[in-house]
Amino acid sequence: MHFSSLFCGASLAALALAAPSPGRGHFHPGPHHYPTTAYKHHPTTTSTAHPTTTNYNCGSITRAYATEVVKQFVIDQIVPDLIELNTLGTPSVVVNVTYGSKDVNLGTYFTTTETLDQPTAFSFTAEEGYDPYTTLYMVFLIDPDVPQEGSPTQVNYAHWIFYNAQPQCVTNQAITTVDTYQSPTPASTTQHRYTFLVYRQPPGFTVSATEAAALNIRTPFDLNDYTEANGLVLVGGNYFNEAIGNGIQGS
C-alpha cells in the first residue's frame, strides 16, 4: 500500500524530517496543477459499456506535482496519522475533486455547507505503464480526526468508499459503491483533514457482502490494515480541511 514509484521525487522520509514539529503547517493553495482537459466523471456511474476507441485524454502527473503532494501530506501530518510513513513512495496519479465550482487542492479550506453534497466531479489520471481500460481502483474519503486531531481517542471515519473506478479517459465505468457519500460534519474548531485516496486493485478484487457490512460501520476504520490485507496499492491522493466556523473565520 504505497504510492507507486514511477516518478523520481523527494524522499518522503527526508520530507518528514523537515516537517514542522510540534503542531502542523497548512498549505495555502495557489494555482492548481490539474490537467486542463481532464474529463471528470461522477462516481455514481454504473454502465458496463466499454469505449470503442482509445482516443481520450488520460492525463498524467508531473514530477513537481508528485513531490508537492508528498510534501503537503507530510506537512499536514496525513503521513503518518492516516498513512504509514515507511510504506510510501511517490504518487503516480493526479486526483481531481470539485465541490460546486471549488477545487480540492492539497489543504483547501471548506465550510460544511460547501461539502454537504458529494463532489460534483471526481477523477484521476492514468498511471504510466498501466492500461486505463483494464486497471481498476478503489477510492476512499477518510477523516482521520474523529473526534478531533490529537484526541487520545482519535480514529478514522470512512465518509465514502467505492471501487472498480478507472482513470478519467474511461467514460463508462462499472463503479460499485460500498459506503455512500456522507457529508463531513466536524464537531470541533480544530481542522479535520478529509482525505481522498486512490488505490490500485489487484486482479480479481471484489468486496464481499460480509466485508461490505463491516465497512458500512465506517468507524473506527483501520485503513492501513484493510489496504494491506487486500493487496491495494496507493497511487494518489488529495485532501481538504474543514472545521466549525471556517466560513465565519474567513479560513
Side-chain angles (χ1 to χ4, degrees):
M1 54 176 184
H2 57 279
F3 276 125
S4 178
S5 302
L6 295 174
F7 293 83
C8 297
S11 162
L12 192 72
L15 286 168
L17 292 174
S21 181
R24 60 183 175 93
H26 288 290
F27 173 60
H28 297 285
H32 65 63
H33 303 263
Y34 304 153
T36 56
T37 56
Y39 170 81
K40 296 184 178 182
H41 69 265
H42 296 276
T44 53
T45 303
T46 56
S47 171
T48 57
H50 298 284
T52 56
T53 71
T54 57
N55 187 24
Y56 293 94
N57 172 39
C58 286
S60 63
I61 191 170
T62 64
R63 178 185 299 182
Y65 184 68
T67 301
E68 187 69 15
V69 173
V70 174
K71 175 184 175 182
Q72 299 307 328
F73 269 47
V74 171
I75 287 175
D76 245 352
Q77 297 182 21
I78 293 170
V79 177
D81 289 356
L82 178 59
I83 307 166
E84 294 174 349
L85 173 64
N86 62 355
T87 59
L88 295 181
T90 304
S92 54
V93 305
V94 178
V95 179
N96 300 301
V97 187
T98 303
Y99 284 94
S101 60
K102 185 174 179 178
D103 289 335
V104 172
N105 187 17
L106 299 177
T108 311
Y109 288 86
F110 279 81
T111 66
T112 302
T113 55
E114 288 176 317
T115 59
L116 185 63
D117 298 321
Q118 74 178 53
T120 48
F122 175 90
S123 69
F124 53 94
T125 59
E127 282 189 272
E128 184 176 308
Y130 289 86
D131 184 344
Y133 298 102
T134 60
T135 309
L136 302 174
Y137 299 84
M138 191 168 195
V139 179
F140 299 86
L141 171 57
I142 306 294
D143 175 8
D145 301 319
V146 176
Q148 68 180 41
E149 184 183 0
S151 167
T153 58
Q154 183 177 343
V155 294
N156 295 340
Y157 191 100
H159 278 266
W160 203 14
I161 301 177
F162 56 93
Y163 67 105
N164 290 343
Q166 292 173 273
Q168 61 198 25
C169 53
V170 182
T171 56
N172 296 298
Q173 303 186 25
I175 290 172
T176 300
T177 299
V178 179
D179 284 350
T180 56
Y181 181 81
Q182 188 168 95
S183 305
T185 53
S188 69
T189 55
T190 302
Q191 299 298 326
H192 287 229
R193 300 159 292 177
Y194 293 94
T195 307
F196 293 89
L197 297 168
V198 177
Y199 289 79
R200 188 189 326 116
Q201 299 171 198
F205 173 82
T206 190
V207 177
S208 69
T210 300
E211 290 174 320
L215 291 171
N216 289 159
I217 297 173
R218 297 183 184 258
T219 193
F221 175 54
D222 193 323
L223 175 72
N224 292 307
D225 276 2
Y226 181 82
T227 54
E228 184 174 4
N230 286 281
L232 298 166
V233 178
L234 181 59
V235 297
N238 204 342
Y239 69 102
F240 64 91
N241 285 292
E242 190 170 303
I244 292 174
N246 270 11
I248 297 173
Q249 296 172 353
S251 299

